[in-house]
Amino acid sequence: MHPRMHEIRQRTTWFMDARFGMFIHWGAYAVPARGEWIQSVERIPTDRYAKYAMEFVPDRFDPRSWARLAREAGMRYAILTAKHHDGFCLFDSRLTDYSTVHSPARRDIVAEFVDAFRDEGLRTGLYYSLIDWHHEDYPHFGDRNHPMRDSEKYARHEPEFDRYLDYMHGQVRELCSNYGKLDILWFDFSYDNLVGDAWRATELIDMVRGLQPGIIVDNRLEASGDMRKSSLLSGNPSEYSGDFVSPEQIIPPEPIADETGSLVPWEACITTNNHWGYCAADREWKTPKLILRKLVECVSKGGNLLLNVGPDARGEIPAASVRLLRAVGAWMDKNGPSIYGCGPALMPKPEWGYLTRNGEHLYAHIFDENIGPTAIDLSPDRVSRVRLLADGSELEPIESWSTSFWSDRLFINFAPDPLTTCPLPDDMDTVVEIVLSTDE
Ligand code: GLC
């Protein structure tokens, strides 16, 4: 295994145990409320967009209530957008006045965020956009995404990209110096020629690791949601490969391995509706059942789920997201041991749901109701105890005339009588905890 892979494994141990985190996309784009790409999509010039930034005065922002919500949902870490592509900063930067500290908001939102979340016992991370649509030295005309990409007015504009890079590196230095110990830095994102050392990524990552030893970094200094450029997947990670890959709005169809076959840490980032930043008209909320089942699926494939919320311009997390997180939290409260510290069971996926595993503890996540007893692909003599995780109640392995043909399988039932049928105790996901007796 590549030596860098060992370091990555070590750094990411807590992260891969945590499994479930909160992504927070928040900024001036919450005012127009049409998602965080609005400036690009609607080709809004900087001065016009800056009006939204000046109007962003979140009078109902209460980071402690966000942190409590995250903890109660069972999340173990949270990542806030310190700066998104629009360039508007939620932190105090000596390098620009374009921030919530100098705008009428008059708050260092990053400082308040890290304090509140740490106090709730969560790990904290910051998202920082490599892209910047506010800085005059970021490529405008002809860029793939810039709001002014097809404005003739900028056809002869010659950005001094190095000046932008000095600014960007300087801001990353500020974030890594002024907010205590950060657990994650989430860069976003590389595209076209702006990849790797085009960002002076080697120098950047050296600085980050010097200031924040142990920090976990995503893979987007050389990639984007499209992970093909991630050297982490080649088995030969570059200096700035980052520590995990970041599939976006997709649940990987299988565990993610590099070319040598070693499993690579990954985190799927997923929205609660279909936008990252607040979008007032998007009411396509995912259900708690879907989110929870996808979290289980991620864990069963060795990955994390980073679930997004997009607070509104006044600072409130949308009620539908709050309801979703509370419902997931009620389940996590009882079933957390089947998620935290768990990974793939290294057994075939069962028909009725998924398996997760932590050492000799195997967790059967049963999604589908059955007729009569349910078979788990394990020989009963490998099992020392079987319990319903949510309440600790014993589930006796069933041996009856109708199961006897499959004597090498473990059969269980949730009905009072082994051969009767009744609804699953938990319709979202009924977890059976199986303690294995063998030393394999
Ligand atoms: C993307 C988008 C962005 C979002 C991010 C989350 O790359 O540009 O708006 O912040 O992914 O993964």
Side-chain angles (χ1 to χ4, degrees), residues 169-240:
H169 284 222
Q171 288 208 317
V172 172
R173 177 182 290 283
E174 292 178 323
L175 290 172
C176 290
S177 308
N178 302 342
Y179 297 93
K181 178 176 170 283
L182 296 174
D183 298 294
I184 301 173
L185 199 53
W186 219 100
F187 290 115
D188 196 33
F189 60 88
S190 295
Y191 60 103
D192 298 338
N193 295 328
L194 293 176
V195 178
D197 271 325
W199 303 115
R200 301 201 322 242
T202 309
E203 177 194 330
L204 184 66
I205 210 75
D206 280 353
M207 172 185 70
V208 167
R209 297 225 187 272
L211 294 167
Q212 292 278 346
I215 199 169
I216 296 177
V217 180
D218 73 343
N219 64 326
R220 295 194 178 185
L221 278 170
E222 59 181 16
S224 62
D226 167 358
M227 308 180 307
R228 282 173 298 180
K229 294 211 175 90
S230 278
S231 63
L232 258 183
L233 300 180
S234 69
N236 185 18
S238 71
E239 265 175 80
Y240 45 77

Side-chain angles (χ1 to χ4, degrees), residues 380-387 434-438:
D381 56 12
R382 281 190 53 205
V383 167
S384 79
R385 108 179 123 77
V386 188
R387 301 284 183 266
I434 301 161
V435 181
L436 302 171
S437 55
T438 60

Side-chain angles (χ1 to χ4, degrees), residues 388-403:
L388 183 66
L389 178 60
D391 66 1
S393 58
E394 178 175 30
L395 291 166
E396 269 187 297
I398 291 162
E399 286 173 49
S400 76
W401 58 272
S402 57
T403 63

Side-chain angles (χ1 to χ4, degrees), residues 23 25 36-37 84-85 127 186 188-189 220 248 269 276:
F23 214 174
H25 274 71
E36 79 289 353
W37 270 73
H84 206 270
H85 307 333
Y127 166 111
W186 219 100
D188 196 33
F189 60 88
R220 295 194 178 185
E248 178 173 327
C269 50
W276 300 99

